[in-house]
């Protein structure tokens, strides 16, 4: 009996240690601009352009409050199970990945809003040279005003069959970049209220209802709507539709398009 109790005690300690380890997160710098609680980490530097390196695991939400803050992920796993964003930006935010690192940002649970795993109320940039897996089990994978993709890493973005891998007003890729973006298993690969301009990188659209979609004058008569593919590579696999946009507002001016 004593041996059995000892075994159960050791098992409990092992499970507790595993839980604590799963919550362990490392932030550098970890100064007065960083506030850490049980389920929230808030970044509020006094100046723009501050960079934080984030490693390890956290269950909850990362919140950025200052314009142009860079959250640099280095083998990080951030998961929100409350139906809200795992990373939330109140101001323009950049999420970057360290070379050789593999990172996961996940949202799950029930929500009354069309939330995203990464949600920024202003503009969002995705960059770096590592790998970033963004899984939006609530609705979208990524949602922001304007979304810019850059760097040389790999992005794996998956929303839901009702949402999008990227949902935004405008989506662009920075010129001369070599990243690869996989946008998959969503209603839309990229859904923009206004424009999509892809000038570099490789975009792999797989198993979406529509790969590229914008609003039209019927949806929003005050703004122009267009899809322009002026560089990079577009790979299509298993999508129901390639694109939907304003009539005569789709153009290919240099991108390579392949379909399998």
């Amino acid at each position: 009996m004593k041996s059995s109790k000892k075994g159960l005690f050791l098992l409990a300690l092992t499970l507790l240690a595993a839980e604590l380890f799963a919550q362990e997160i490392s932030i550098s710098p970890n100064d007065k601009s960083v506030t850490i609680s049980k389920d929230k980490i808030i970044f509020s530097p006094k100046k723009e352009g501050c960079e934080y390196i984030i490693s390890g695991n956290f269950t909850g939400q990362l919140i950025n409050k200052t314009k142009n803050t860079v959250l640099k992920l280095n083998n990080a796993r951030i998961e929100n199970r409350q139906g809200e964003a795992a990373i939330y930006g109140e101001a323009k935010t950049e999420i970057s990945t360290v070379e050789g690192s593999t990172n996961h940002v996940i949202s799950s649970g029930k929500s009354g809003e069309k939330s995203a795993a990464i949600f920024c109320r202003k503009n969002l940039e995705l960059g770096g040279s590592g790998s970033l897996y963004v899984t939006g089990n609530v609705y979208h994978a990524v949602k922001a005003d304007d979304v810019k993709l850059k760097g040389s890493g790999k992005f794996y973005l998956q929303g839901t069959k009702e949402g999008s891998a990227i949902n935004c007003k405008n989506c662009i890729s920075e010129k001369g970049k070599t990243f690869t973006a996989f946008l998959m298993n969503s209603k839309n690969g990229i859904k923009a209220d206004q424009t999509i301009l892809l000038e570099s990188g490789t975009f792999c659209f797989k198993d979406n209802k529509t790969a590229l979609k914008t609003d039209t004058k019927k949806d929003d008569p005050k703004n122009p709507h267009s899809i322009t593919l002026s560089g990079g590579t577009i790979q299509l696999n298993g999508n129901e539709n390639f694109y939907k946009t304003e009539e005569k507002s789709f153009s290919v001016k240099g991108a390579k398009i392949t379909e399998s």
Side-chain angles (χ1 to χ4, degrees):
M1 182 66 71
K2 288 184 179 180
S3 177
S4 177
K5 287 184 178 180
K6 183 178 180 181
L8 290 172
F9 178 71
L10 290 174
L11 176 60
L13 284 179
T14 301
L15 293 173
L16 177 60
E19 183 177 351
L20 290 172
F21 178 78
Q23 285 290 108
E24 185 177 353
I25 189 166
S26 171
I27 300 171
S28 179
N30 189 354
D31 53 24
K32 292 181 179 180
S33 67
V34 182
T35 304
I36 302 177
S37 63
K38 180 181 178 181
D39 58 358
K40 282 186 173 58
I41 300 176
I42 300 173
F43 301 88
S44 51
K46 292 183 178 180
K47 62 180 182 179
E48 294 182 19
C50 289
E51 180 179 288
Y52 298 89
I53 299 176
I54 301 168
S55 304
N57 302 278
F58 185 73
T59 301
Q61 186 177 65
L62 273 56
I63 301 173
N64 171 44
K65 290 181 171 288
T66 304
K67 184 179 179 182
N68 293 325
T69 298
V70 180
L71 304 180
K72 197 164 188 177
L73 306 182
N74 184 22
N75 294 317
R77 187 181 192 279
I78 314 300
E79 181 176 4
N80 192 321
R81 300 171 184 169
Q82 304 303 314
E84 299 177 342
I87 298 180
Y88 172 65
E90 292 184 2
K92 180 182 175 183
T93 303
E94 178 178 341
I95 298 174
S96 181
T97 56
V98 173
E99 183 177 3
S101 69
T102 300
N103 307 277
H104 296 266
V105 179
I106 305 162
S107 65
S108 58
K110 295 182 179 180
S111 173
E113 298 182 359
K114 296 178 180 179
S115 187
I118 299 175
F119 178 30
C120 190
R121 291 203 174 275
K122 301 297 182 179
N123 297 343
L124 173 70
E125 296 186 3
L126 297 178
S129 51
S131 296
L132 175 62
Y133 292 80
V134 183
T135 306
N137 291 321
V138 178
Y139 207 77
H140 306 301
V142 171
K143 180 177 175 60
D145 270 4
D146 291 355
V147 174
K148 178 189 286 186
L149 289 88
K150 61 184 187 179
S152 58
K154 292 183 178 181
F155 310 113
Y156 300 83
L157 311 179
Q158 178 173 313
T160 67
K161 292 301 182 181
E162 291 76 40
S164 303
I166 296 178
N167 181 273
C168 57
K169 290 183 179 178
N170 300 286
C171 182
I172 65 173
S173 63
E174 197 171 273
K175 286 184 178 180
K177 304 305 177 182
T178 58
F179 64 83
T180 301
F182 299 86
L183 304 106
M184 50 199 172
N185 297 319
S186 305
K187 182 177 181 180
N188 306 294
I190 300 176
K191 164 61 172 66
D193 293 346
Q194 298 175 22
T195 63
I196 298 172
L197 172 60
L198 307 184
E199 300 187 278
S200 70
T202 298
F203 289 84
C204 305
F205 295 94
K206 179 176 172 59
D207 295 335
N208 304 288
K209 184 174 181 180
T210 302
L212 298 162
K213 184 178 181 180
T214 71
D215 283 347
T216 64
K217 288 181 181 178
K218 183 179 179 181
D219 303 304
D220 179 11
K222 296 181 179 180
N223 292 299
H225 312 92
S226 65
I227 298 173
T228 303
L229 309 178
S230 61
T233 300
I234 309 296
Q235 297 178 355
L236 304 169
N237 183 3
N239 306 283
E240 289 186 29
N241 306 290
F242 179 11
Y243 67 89
K244 290 184 178 181
T245 188
E246 198 74 72
E247 187 178 359
K248 299 181 180 179
S249 291
F250 175 80
S251 64
V252 180
K253 299 181 178 178
K256 179 183 178 182
I257 300 174
T258 62
E259 187 167 1
S260 59

